[in-house]
Amino acid sequence: MDAIVAAVATQYGSELSSAVEAGVSRPTESPSGLLDTIFTIYHDFFAARPGLREMWFDRKASEKVVEIHRYFRADLAKILRAGMHQYSTKPHDLLAYQTWIEITGILWEIAFQSDPDGDPRVIAEIREVSERFLWRRMGITFPPSDATGLKDPGAHHPAPAEGPPPRTWELPLPPQARGRKNRAQILSAASAIIDSQGPHGPDVNVRAIAGAAGTSPGSMYRYFEDLDSLVAAVADAYMHDLLAVLDEVEAASEGQDYASFNKRKMVAYRAFFAQRPGLRELWFDRRASEKVQEIHSHYRRVLADRNHQAMSRYARRPGEMFGHTLHIEVTGALWDLAFTLDPQGHPYVIDEIEELGIDFVRRLHERAS
């Protein structure tokens, strides 16, 4: 069955690449016209076949299908470089276009998750963030944009509710100290195995984890419903650790300007993700279970809320939560790319994450003026 799905994914990716290649090969008078062509192709292609689009953005695809996705994203980057090269005034390489593909790819996914026809708020954001990226990285200039981007989305498409959703996956801790200690030992053993092997490693199973924790499989089920619940608890603990790191960054950045705070945050994120590669893989795992995906979604909302709160210290108007949610999704995709390219985090991609943070504040100031 996986071979059939992979063949379908290959056909879909090939059709998308062909459509984009045909579009960018047509003469255009300006980079704005070329962007119009590219975005029209993407929108119409994704809108036409919703089930195949869902497969293209599938967060639980097999490794074979994920590899196909990677191949076609790289292919699209080459096609876009060929089309945009004529307008560029700065030296750049293929990595710049790969980064652009990751930024816009996650936004296209969100656009069609939010609206079967493509959420116009998110599509406007794709346009604006693309123009600013291409100008910043490649010196391609665009006329002033009418994109609404991060502005109030209005009544027809209400913004997501502010604040994180309830933590529905959590179970009460054992009432006795001994039970809490046993649970912590099992959680620590699972974390160590996942960190050394990744979330789909050979020892990510009940028997191996129970053995590493010095207990029996039956005892493990006293504290966790099943293996999935244990892996979810590992992901939850990992994000608790990240939030503690962010608390330290915010405390150390008191009284500093945004650029200093942002730089400190980038250094902390990079060190955090580099230190525990298997747990980082769990955090960005596109094949995670529904329960783990729920935890991922929860903490992305938490991080968006934290970003919104932090921005209120640096901008006259901190912006809508909707915009912060998109920002967290984009930077998350780039952190994943950075460590996919380099086990220590690729410098170019991390630099772009930092630039996106600064540009986010700049846009808020522009809209407030």
Side-chain angles (χ1 to χ4, degrees):
M1 184 64 182
D2 187 34
I4 295 174
V5 175
V8 173
T10 300
Q11 179 66 26
Y12 188 71
S14 179
E15 290 174 2
L16 176 58
S17 290
S18 296
V20 174
E21 186 169 25
V24 301
S25 65
R26 293 195 292 268
T28 52
E29 296 181 357
S30 69
S32 291
L34 183 54
L35 274 189
D36 288 340
T37 298
I38 293 168
F39 292 159
T40 297
I41 291 169
Y42 266 82
H43 177 271
D44 293 349
F45 192 86
F46 289 143
R49 291 178 286 180
L52 293 174
R53 179 188 71 236
E54 185 177 341
M55 178 196 63
W56 183 252
F57 293 121
D58 186 8
R59 290 185 175 272
K60 291 183 288 184
S62 70
E63 189 56 43
K64 183 182 292 186
V65 174
V66 169
E67 189 60 37
I68 291 168
H69 293 173
R70 290 195 192 103
Y71 170 82
F72 280 108
R73 286 202 299 272
D75 191 49
L76 286 165
K78 294 176 184 176
I79 294 169
L80 294 173
R81 179 176 65 173
M84 280 288 174
H85 184 75
Q86 59 184 311
Y87 300 113
S88 177
T89 61
K90 294 181 180 180
H92 59 274
D93 57 21
L94 188 60
L95 180 56
Y97 291 91
Q98 291 177 310
T99 303
W100 183 30
I101 288 288
E102 294 297 329
I103 291 172
T104 56
I106 188 67
L107 292 177
W108 280 113
E109 181 179 357
I110 294 168
F112 282 97
Q113 285 176 342
S114 178
D115 185 327
D117 295 320
D119 191 325
R121 302 168 298 171
V122 186
I123 293 174
E125 177 68 3
I126 294 170
R127 178 65 184 239
E128 183 164 1
V129 77
S130 293
E131 289 183 358
R132 297 177 82 101
F133 175 84
L134 293 169
W135 173 80
R136 187 170 64 246
R137 288 298 189 182
M138 303 165 200
I140 301 173
T141 58
F142 297 88
S145 175
D146 294 329
T148 56
L150 303 176
K151 292 182 180 178
D152 189 334
H156 181 60
H157 295 287
E162 295 191 9
R167 302 159 62 91
T168 57
W169 64 87
E170 281 194 328
L171 297 174
L173 291 175
Q176 302 297 326
R178 180 179 178 183
R180 292 194 292 272
K181 179 180 178 182
N182 290 341
R183 182 186 185 278
Q185 288 176 339
I186 295 168
L187 186 62
S188 177
S191 296
I193 289 174
I194 291 173
D195 195 30
S196 65
Q197 299 182 0
H200 305 288
D203 291 328
V204 183
N205 60 71
V206 170
R207 184 172 296 278
I209 293 171
T215 189
S216 67
S219 177
M220 201 188 85
Y221 287 117
R222 297 176 188 172
Y223 309 106
F224 302 96
E225 291 180 342
D226 49 26
L227 179 62
D228 186 31
S229 297
L230 175 54
V231 174
V234 171
D236 188 43
Y238 184 63
M239 290 316 317
H240 271 292
D241 291 346
L242 177 59
L243 293 179
V245 168
L246 293 179
D247 286 338
E248 294 176 2
V249 169
E250 290 180 3
S253 303
E254 188 70 33
Q256 295 183 350
D257 60 15
Y258 179 78
S260 300
F261 164 68
N262 194 44
K263 170 65 76 174
R264 191 184 294 268
K265 186 168 65 170
M266 292 302 98
V267 170
Y269 264 97
R270 185 178 193 174
F272 184 84
F273 287 141
Q275 285 168 0
R276 294 183 282 181
L279 292 173
R280 180 189 71 237
E281 186 180 339
L282 171 64
W283 178 244
F284 294 118
D285 184 15
R286 295 189 68 89
R287 293 184 288 152
S289 69
E290 291 290 339
K291 186 173 290 186
V292 174
Q293 290 288 350
E294 183 183 354
I295 292 173
H296 292 175
S297 177
H298 169 84
Y299 279 106
R300 286 196 296 269
R301 290 288 300 278
V302 170
L303 291 169
D305 190 54
R306 293 281 294 259
N307 200 60
H308 184 264
Q309 294 176 28
M311 209 62 71
S312 65
R313 300 195 297 270
Y314 300 104
R316 284 179 290 170
R317 296 180 183 175
E320 301 288 334
M321 268 297 295
F322 180 75
H324 290 276
T325 300
L326 296 186
H327 182 72
I328 290 298
E329 294 284 356
V330 166
T331 55
L334 291 184
W335 280 115
D336 188 14
L337 175 64
F339 281 95
T340 299
L341 295 172
D342 185 331
Q344 296 302 311
H346 197 288
Y348 179 94
V349 183
I350 293 174
D351 182 54
E352 178 55 28
I353 298 170
E354 183 177 354
E355 288 292 331
L356 280 172
I358 294 171
D359 196 47
F360 191 90
V361 176
R362 188 179 296 122
R363 291 167 65 186
L364 292 175
H365 280 296
E366 289 172 2
R367 292 190 168 103
S369 61

